[in-house]
Amino acid sequence: MGRTTTAVAAGGAKLASVGGGGSCGMAGRRVNVNVGVLGHIDSGKTALVRALSTTASTAAFDKQPQSRERGITLDLGFSCFSVPLPARLLSALPAPPAAPEAGPEPSEPQLQFTLVDCPGHASLIRTIIGGAQIIDLMMLVIDVTKGMQTQSAECLVIGQISCQRLVVVLNKIDLLAEGKRQAAIDKMTRKMQKTLENTKFQGAPIIPVAAKPGGPEAPETEAPQGISELIEVVKKVKSMQMFHMPVTTAMQGDRLGICVTQFDPKLLERGLVCAPESLHIIHAALISVEKIPYFRGPLQTKSKFHITVGHETVMGRLMFFSPAPDSFDHEPVLDTFDFSREYLFQEQYLCKDLAPAATDSGLTNEKTGQATEGHCPRQQWALVEFEKPVTCPQLCLVIGSRLDADIHANMCRLAFHGVLLHGLEDQNYAESLLPRLRVYKLKHKHGLVERVIDDYNVICRSLFKKETNIQLFVGLKVHLSTGELGVIDSAFGQSGKSKIHIPGGLSPESKKILMPTVKKRSRTGQGEMAKQKEEVERPEPAHHVTLSLSFKRYVFDTQKRMVQYP
């Protein structure tokens, strides 16, 4: 086998170096910006990329046989174009070498735009998400004759998660009637401005173009329309071999070729290129979570989602948790996870439309685990347990989706996004690490005082079930509705009743309430002089007195201990 040049996408989170120094996003006197081209299927994304590009990689413009056969983009395509570097970016360049080096590097500093052509078909959302994670700027391509479509909306959501800058491209303006073209463009521009109002892309530029006038079968002599205007707008937004330019370093998002001798490229599968120790194989992860507002329905603990981590998508089961109720307003921390803190288990992700109203008790709803302060915590987390191990860097983007949903339904399949704060690399993480995770469930139990033994002890029922091991609760405090504080002393009998000791004794008012009602019934014997006899029925309190018990139970505590709350 001879020399082989293999094109790969750098997937590590750190700068991968194979020689001399370099700087992120630069190849000598060249500054690189990755531009993702996303949109609904058949909106003209690949045609736009072709119209913009001056240099193409081996994977550009749907060159794969499967793409040509089906007539759609199936994988990420890479190509680029360059323009003179704007003066405002000259300071970002490294100092020029003392003596010019041989090679094709241009003398004039260049701004290179790497175009990442993403598929548009709904079934390829995994690939779209993977491509979006390596972009600096997003071009959202809209078919001007159709406007926003389902996948256009999903791509806009992905853009909000993954990048900071957006340019909207209204494509296929050549299909509009010439006499009404400008009016139709203006109308669609206003619609898109309205769509972007509630996103971080409010005020983003909107450019009309015709990337391929006449459609796919039109002759190449038909010149694209609006491309120069689009390039002017994009310019204003912010070795190995990178598009035939020799370089010494590459970073996440760069496309490059590596010369490998004595190697058959057919034996190479898709993988990751990274700096040593920048990637980890993990079986579960602790992530910071933020729900995507367009997703319908709750995010529930124990539910399964398609989890995209780095460039992998696997099924994962989630357990949601929040800060303790008194820490709801703490500043979010997105670069580390604190194992020393305590966290409150949640049956589902807390959001405003699910947060209950404030109550007098100030406690937590036992069924859902939601705090009742009437507002949501500023940060929430989830434990994600993957069905199979994934390879990814720390602090990478995590996206949760419901990709099994009907692709023809008018709904957002993207459910949440977050940051991977801590990966669990040990396959036996349930025993080795999870006991360190101090997530607790807040439990509340209620019972009734059945009868008084003496001034310091009462018998309680309905606080526990018959099968409950009451010994686990001995020593915990209970509150009587009459104001006294009691302590669970022991079980009483076999039916779930318990003996409660009241260190301070019952108050006179409580004793009066708890005094049994004595019912008397006269019985006459035979004959006129029979005596009246009194029968005392089983004594019961005159009024019901309730007891309440609140305690914490840590989810991953192997000893299943009960801890008093508050």
Side-chain angles (χ1 to χ4, degrees):
M1 302 178 190
R3 293 176 48 163
T4 300
T5 300
T6 303
V8 298
K14 301 179 181 178
L15 195 63
S17 176
V18 294
S23 54
C24 297
M26 299 182 188
R29 304 287 287 169
R30 184 177 293 259
V31 176
N32 182 72
V33 176
N34 295 322
V35 180
V37 183
L38 289 81
H40 196 86
I41 188 171
D42 287 335
S43 57
K45 298 182 296 299
T46 301
L48 176 64
V49 168
R50 189 187 296 271
L52 285 167
S53 301
T54 57
T55 307
S57 74
T58 55
F61 312 145
D62 298 341
K63 290 178 181 176
Q64 302 96 330
Q66 297 91 338
S67 292
R68 293 185 179 277
E69 182 181 339
R70 294 181 60 181
I72 60 174
T73 301
L74 294 177
D75 205 347
L76 302 178
F78 295 84
S79 56
C80 77
F81 68 93
S82 298
V83 297
L85 188 68
R88 61 189 173 83
L89 295 179
L90 286 174
S91 60
L93 282 173
E101 297 178 0
E105 186 73 28
S107 58
E108 182 182 13
Q110 296 285 300
L111 177 58
Q112 175 178 277
F113 292 95
T114 298
L115 302 173
V116 184
D117 183 13
C118 296
H121 198 278
S123 63
L124 301 172
I125 189 71
R126 293 175 176 84
T127 306
I128 298 172
I129 294 172
Q133 294 187 73
I134 60 175
I135 63 177
D136 304 304
L137 177 148
M138 175 176 157
M139 281 188 190
L140 180 62
V141 183
I142 303 293
D143 184 336
V144 73
T145 66
K146 298 178 180 178
M148 284 288 288
Q149 296 171 272
T150 304
Q151 271 63 64
S152 310
E154 285 191 339
C155 290
L156 181 58
V157 171
I158 293 171
Q160 289 196 81
I161 295 170
S162 61
C163 68
Q164 299 299 320
R165 300 174 182 84
L166 174 77
V167 175
V168 177
V169 180
L170 301 180
N171 196 16
K172 302 186 180 183
I173 61 172
D174 57 300
L175 299 182
L176 301 172
E178 192 168 349
K180 301 179 181 178
R181 181 172 300 169
Q182 192 56 50
I185 292 173
D186 292 343
K187 182 179 180 180
M188 185 57 67
T189 299
R190 289 192 294 272
K191 283 186 176 181
M192 290 307 303
Q193 288 171 337
K194 185 73 173 176
T195 299
L196 298 177
E197 269 185 6
N198 296 322
T199 74
K200 67 180 180 182
F201 300 128
Q202 182 178 11
I206 302 173
I207 308 299
V209 305
K212 181 66 174 173
E217 305 303 323
E220 296 296 333
T221 53
E222 289 285 341
Q225 304 169 19
I227 297 301
S228 59
E229 291 84 352
L230 177 58
I231 291 175
E232 286 302 314
V233 169
V234 172
K235 280 168 57 178
K236 296 177 183 178
V237 182
K238 185 191 170 187
S239 204
M240 297 178 251
Q241 191 182 38
M242 187 185 303
F243 298 107
H244 315 300
M245 299 299 299
V247 295
T248 56
T249 59
M251 65 172 293
Q252 182 173 344
D254 293 336
R255 185 171 181 86
L256 48 98
I258 301 177
C259 182
V260 183
T261 60
Q262 305 297 315
F263 180 73
D264 183 356
K266 294 179 182 178
L267 300 177
L268 179 66
E269 297 183 1
R270 171 167 291 188
L272 298 171
V273 176
C274 64
E277 300 183 5
S278 62
L279 295 179
H280 308 274
I281 298 176
I282 61 175
H283 300 269
L286 297 170
I287 66 172
S288 179
V289 182
E290 186 174 342
K291 184 182 179 185
I292 293 171
Y294 308 107
F295 180 77
R296 298 173 185 171
L299 306 179
Q300 294 183 324
T301 284
K302 295 185 179 179
S303 58
K304 286 186 176 182
F305 287 87
H306 292 88
I307 309 295
T308 301
V309 185
H311 292 275
E312 292 189 67
T313 300
V314 299
M315 292 299 294
R317 188 186 300 274
L318 287 90
M319 183 196 79
F320 293 98
F321 54 97
S322 72
D326 58 356
S327 303
F328 270 27
D329 293 324
H330 283 193
E331 192 73 23
V333 178
L334 298 176
D335 59 356
T336 187
F337 184 84
D338 188 354
F339 281 93
S340 66
R341 290 178 58 185
E342 291 196 346
Y343 302 91
L344 177 62
F345 171 88
Q346 299 292 353
E347 290 286 354
Q348 61 188 27
Y349 178 90
L350 299 181
C351 50
K352 291 181 180 178
D353 55 338
L354 297 173
T359 64
D360 293 335
S361 67
L363 295 175
T364 300
N365 183 285
E366 181 177 354
K367 183 178 180 181
T368 65
Q370 296 176 358
T372 56
E373 282 81 354
H375 68 283
C376 296
R378 296 184 61 184
Q379 184 174 15
Q380 296 181 62
W381 299 268
L383 167 67
V384 186
E385 298 182 271
F386 303 113
E387 287 194 348
K388 63 179 183 178
V390 298
T391 304
C392 63
Q394 201 83 322
L395 301 180
C396 68
L397 175 65
V398 179
I399 298 177
S401 315
R402 277 280 167 78
L403 302 184
D404 51 351
D406 183 4
I407 63 175
H408 302 293
N410 185 23
M411 60 179 289
C412 179
R413 295 175 295 165
L414 307 175
F416 63 87
H417 66 97
V419 178
L420 194 152
L421 300 177
H422 188 91
L424 281 60
E425 299 180 45
D426 187 352
Q427 190 171 357
N428 298 316
Y429 64 87
E431 291 79 28
S432 63
L433 190 135
L434 287 189
R436 290 178 53 202
L437 183 58
R438 303 172 67 191
V439 176
Y440 65 87
K441 292 183 179 181
L442 196 53
K443 299 284 189 176
H444 307 286
K445 290 181 175 293
H446 302 280
L448 295 172
V449 174
E450 183 178 83
R451 61 189 176 90
V452 177
I453 299 176
D454 53 42
D455 288 355
Y456 294 91
N457 296 282
V458 297
I459 300 300
C460 166
R461 61 179 169 88
S462 302
L463 190 62
F464 303 108
K465 296 179 181 178
K466 181 179 180 180
E467 61 272 16
T468 301
N469 182 4
I470 297 177
Q471 191 61 34
L472 295 174
F473 297 87
V474 168
L476 294 186
K477 299 174 183 177
V478 295
H479 292 268
L480 278 68
S481 58
T482 49
E484 288 86 358
L485 182 68
V487 178
I488 299 173
D489 184 74
S490 63
F492 185 83
Q494 303 296 320
S495 60
K497 296 180 182 180
S498 56
K499 179 182 176 183
I500 308 297
H501 176 66
I502 303 171
L506 292 169
S507 67
E509 293 80 8
S510 298
K511 286 191 286 185
K512 186 176 180 181
I513 295 174
L514 290 168
M515 283 294 292
T517 301
V518 179
K519 296 183 179 180
K520 297 182 179 179
R521 189 169 56 194
S522 61
R523 297 197 311 182
T524 56
Q526 295 179 359
E528 295 181 2
M529 302 300 295
K531 291 184 179 180
Q532 258 195 356
K533 294 186 178 180
E534 293 182 352
E535 180 182 316
V536 180
E537 293 188 346
R538 184 177 180 177
E540 292 185 358
H543 301 283
H544 284 306
V545 174
T546 62
L547 303 96
S548 60
L549 167 65
S550 298
F551 61 94
K552 296 188 290 187
R553 187 167 185 173
Y554 291 89
V555 176
F556 302 111
D557 181 7
T558 55
Q559 299 181 21
K560 305 297 183 185
R561 289 167 294 189
M562 316 296 172
V563 179
Q564 189 75 53
Y565 181 87

